[in-house]
């Protein structure tokens, strides 16, 4: 980022960094988190190694494109996805975490399961990312036992039911208050505030109007004082605004990431790392 940009931006503190185990990620410029899905669409026994090597290669590519960290998920948190057993999630995710971490890449793990959190921490992950906000029994303890950064997300309902008829009085206030309470619980469990990231959870129990209100009102969540992660990439709201299918949502997603950063997001979670990194360079130079 060009000199002076951070100091002119109300949300990027020049000396701040996110503590991720022994690693520090700078918070004086927006960070880009690349998304790596570990799927299991193979049908042979040899498929698991194949799936892992595809995910590892994808993570390496995203890092080469400029991702500051990559988020590895075994698809257990995906709305509408079939439930994934603990053993299956461990088998999908942990080899990928180990391989990417060994290459020096900061790895986030997208999981709701405390056992996966512990194994991922042992495998050297830089962040634990829980769409359930560390509300499962044992999740706060697993977060505290890890040295990794901790990203707590807001979700109304459960992945199976959350999109049926989400309702709020004041969506920004309710999400802000939920995240403030999760941060308090994490700190009470022993997670230092320099490790905590908060996420409004776009699309997780929110309709288009709710998502729009949260982007516009992101400052209320940023003002809690924690780095805020925004995940808008390729989501339904981008499709609703542009009329485009998932494969055609890159430009809309880049625009959404820029607005999120403009409104104070510290980290954007994206599929399309290269165009997002370029767009943020231009944003930083021109803002
Ligand atoms: C189907 C529906 C597939 C939704 C994938 C998804 C977030 C996350 C996800 C987010 C954080 C996606 C989501 N979204 N973690 N995991 N924030 N912290 O679109 O917004 O990637 S899964």
């Amino acid at each position: 980022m060009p000199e002076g940009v951070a100091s002119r931006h109300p949300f990027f503190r020049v000396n701040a960094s996110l503590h991720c185990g022994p690693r520090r990620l700078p918070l004086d410029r927006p960070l880009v988190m690349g998304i790596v899905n570990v799927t299991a669409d193979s049908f042979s026994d040899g498929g698991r190694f194949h799936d892992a090597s595809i995910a590892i290669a994808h993570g390496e590519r995203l890092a080469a494109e400029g991702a500051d960290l990559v988020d590895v998920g075994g698809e257990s948190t995906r709305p509408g996805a079939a439930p994934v057993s603990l053993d299956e999630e461990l088998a999908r995710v942990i080899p990928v975490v180990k391989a990417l971490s060994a290459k020096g890449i900061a790895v986030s793990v997208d999981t709701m399961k405390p056992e996966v959190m512990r194994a991922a921490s042992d495998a050297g992950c830089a962040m634990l990312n829980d769409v359930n906000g560390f509300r499962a029994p044992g999740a706060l303890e697993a977060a505290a036992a890890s040295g990794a950064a901790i990203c707590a997300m807001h979700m109304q309902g459960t992945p199976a039911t959350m999109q049926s008829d989400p309702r709020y009085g004041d969506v920004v206030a309710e999400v802000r208050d939920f995240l403030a309470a999760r941060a308090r619980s994490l700190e009470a469990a022993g997670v230092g505030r320099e490790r905590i990231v908060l996420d409004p959870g776009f699309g997780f129990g929110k309709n288009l109007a709710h998502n729009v209100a949260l982007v516009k009102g992101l400052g209320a969540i940023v003002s809690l004082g924690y780095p805020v992660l925004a995940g808008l990439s390729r989501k339904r709201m981008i499709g609703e605004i542009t009329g485009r299918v998932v494969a055609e949502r890159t430009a809309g997603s880049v625009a959404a990431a820029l607005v999120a950063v403009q409104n104070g997001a510290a980290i954007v979670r994206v599929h399309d790392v290269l165009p997002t990194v370029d767009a943020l360079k231009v944003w930083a130079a021109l803002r």
Side-chain angles (χ1 to χ4, degrees):
M1 180 181 291
E3 192 186 346
V5 168
S7 59
R8 285 201 308 276
H9 196 287
F11 305 114
F12 296 115
R13 287 165 299 146
V14 173
N15 294 318
S17 69
L18 180 65
H19 291 208
C20 314
R23 186 193 295 268
R24 299 284 180 274
L25 288 174
L27 291 171
D28 59 350
R29 59 176 177 84
L31 299 177
V32 174
M33 168 190 272
I35 300 169
V36 175
N37 289 314
V38 193
T39 55
D41 43 16
S42 304
F43 38 84
S44 77
D45 241 17
R48 182 156 281 150
F49 181 75
H50 184 239
D51 296 331
S53 50
I54 290 172
I56 293 160
H58 190 220
E60 288 184 87
R61 176 179 161 179
L62 296 183
E65 290 181 353
D68 297 288
L69 68 172
V70 297
D71 189 40
V72 174
E75 299 203 318
S76 68
T77 60
R78 302 302 181 257
V84 177
S85 74
L86 172 60
D87 286 347
E88 175 65 26
E89 190 174 336
L90 288 168
R92 285 190 202 174
V93 166
I94 299 304
V96 180
V97 177
K98 284 185 176 158
L100 292 174
S101 300
K103 292 175 191 292
I105 297 168
V107 178
S108 162
V109 176
D110 193 347
T111 187
M112 300 192 279
K113 297 191 179 86
E115 299 89 342
V116 177
M117 294 173 188
R118 290 181 186 274
S121 301
D122 291 345
C125 77
M127 180 183 286
L128 297 173
N129 171 31
D130 183 357
V131 300
N132 195 37
F134 298 86
R135 286 181 289 171
L140 285 173
E141 292 78 4
S146 164
I150 300 299
C151 179
M153 200 191 80
H154 174 274
M155 168 167 58
Q156 183 182 89
T158 66
T161 62
M162 63 191 185
Q163 289 308 112
S164 59
D165 185 22
R167 283 173 188 268
Y168 298 85
D170 178 339
V171 65
V172 174
E174 287 175 38
V175 170
R176 178 200 62 207
D177 291 351
F178 172 89
L179 292 175
R182 293 321 293 158
R184 279 195 297 276
S185 295
L186 285 163
E187 290 185 39
V191 179
R193 64 174 299 129
E194 64 288 341
R195 286 208 284 139
I196 297 175
V197 175
L198 301 178
D199 182 340
F202 292 105
F204 284 80
K206 286 117 188 157
N207 63 26
L208 177 60
H210 299 141
N211 290 318
V212 169
L214 282 166
V215 175
K216 293 184 179 182
L218 203 63
I221 294 163
V222 172
S223 68
L224 293 173
Y226 301 88
V228 169
L229 187 151
L232 292 150
S233 184
R234 298 187 187 173
K235 283 188 176 169
R236 179 190 295 178
M237 69 177 288
I238 306 298
E240 288 171 330
I241 294 167
T242 61
R244 300 209 180 273
V245 297
V246 170
E248 299 171 347
R249 293 180 188 166
T250 298
S253 299
V254 170
L258 287 187
V259 176
V261 165
Q262 185 80 26
N263 290 356
I267 308 174
V268 286
R269 180 179 178 278
V270 304
H271 299 87
D272 304 294
V273 169
L274 194 73
T276 304
V277 167
D278 278 1
L280 286 169
K281 284 180 183 167
V282 174
W283 170 83
L286 300 185
R287 65 179 303 282

